[in-house]
Amino acid sequence: MTEVDPPQELCLKLRAAADRLLAGTPLHSSGKLTILDLAEEAQIKRWLLTHKYPTTLLAQYQAEFKAARHKSQPVQQAEATIAKLRDELAAVRKEKRTLTELVRTYAVMIEQLAGERAEALDERDHAVAARDAALGVTSLPPKDKRGDGASSRSSSRTHRPLPR
């Protein structure tokens, strides 16, 4: 069974669609250089290419797309954007790992310093208590433990009571 020639209108639609795909300016498809996208771009049913006119139309456009040996402009742009975004994501992930490790290190250091400070304050309080006991005196509690609000006042202002 021989294949009949395709109608001129179909050939014109396919040519225009193929030209748009090759130029990277698709209107109705994703822009890939495939027979499926060619049919979608020409707004025809795929079976016209694959079953009804496989020798005349399908073979012609497959050969043309293969000869083009390049991807259409939108596909190239999309792939370039994807590659750039992947590189940026990898850099951001690396920076995040570095910062996470730094935060963990700082947390350990802060915890150790807080423990050392608490020990130093305890040692100081015991030393003051031992001194006071040896001298037989009672020292005033530190300003922040007096409860008279002295530590909450600004050190640059002196508070004088009002005359009575």
Side-chain angles (χ1 to χ4, degrees), residues 3-130:
E3 195 175 300
V4 294
D5 287 336
Q8 185 65 24
E9 182 183 334
L10 178 61
C11 291
L12 292 174
K13 280 184 173 181
L14 287 169
R15 181 73 262 150
D19 289 342
R20 286 194 303 272
L21 288 176
L22 290 168
T25 56
L27 299 175
H28 307 289
S29 68
S30 67
K32 296 177 188 169
L33 296 177
T34 64
I35 296 302
L36 181 62
D37 272 20
L38 176 62
E40 191 176 323
E41 186 65 28
Q43 295 184 316
I44 63 167
K45 296 190 183 289
R46 180 185 54 83
W47 68 268
L48 287 171
L49 291 169
T50 58
H51 294 85
K52 190 164 184 180
Y53 304 109
T55 307
T56 50
L57 294 179
L58 178 65
Q60 172 191 347
Y61 289 109
Q62 280 180 330
E64 189 174 344
F65 288 166
K66 190 172 185 177
R69 292 201 188 266
H70 76 289
K71 295 176 183 169
S72 64
Q73 189 64 26
V75 173
Q76 289 175 357
Q77 289 173 344
E79 287 177 348
T81 301
I82 289 169
K84 179 182 170 199
L85 291 173
R86 282 188 178 140
D87 291 344
E88 288 176 8
L89 180 61
V92 168
R93 284 181 174 164
K94 182 179 179 183
E95 182 181 10
K96 180 197 176 278
R97 282 191 299 273
T98 303
L99 292 175
T100 299
E101 190 59 37
L102 190 61
V103 166
R104 286 181 184 145
T105 302
Y106 288 163
V108 168
M109 292 172 70
I110 289 169
E111 187 177 346
Q112 288 174 346
L113 289 171
E116 290 174 11
R117 181 180 184 272
E119 288 176 18
L121 290 175
D122 283 344
E123 286 177 21
R124 181 201 65 192
D125 291 345
H126 289 305
V128 169

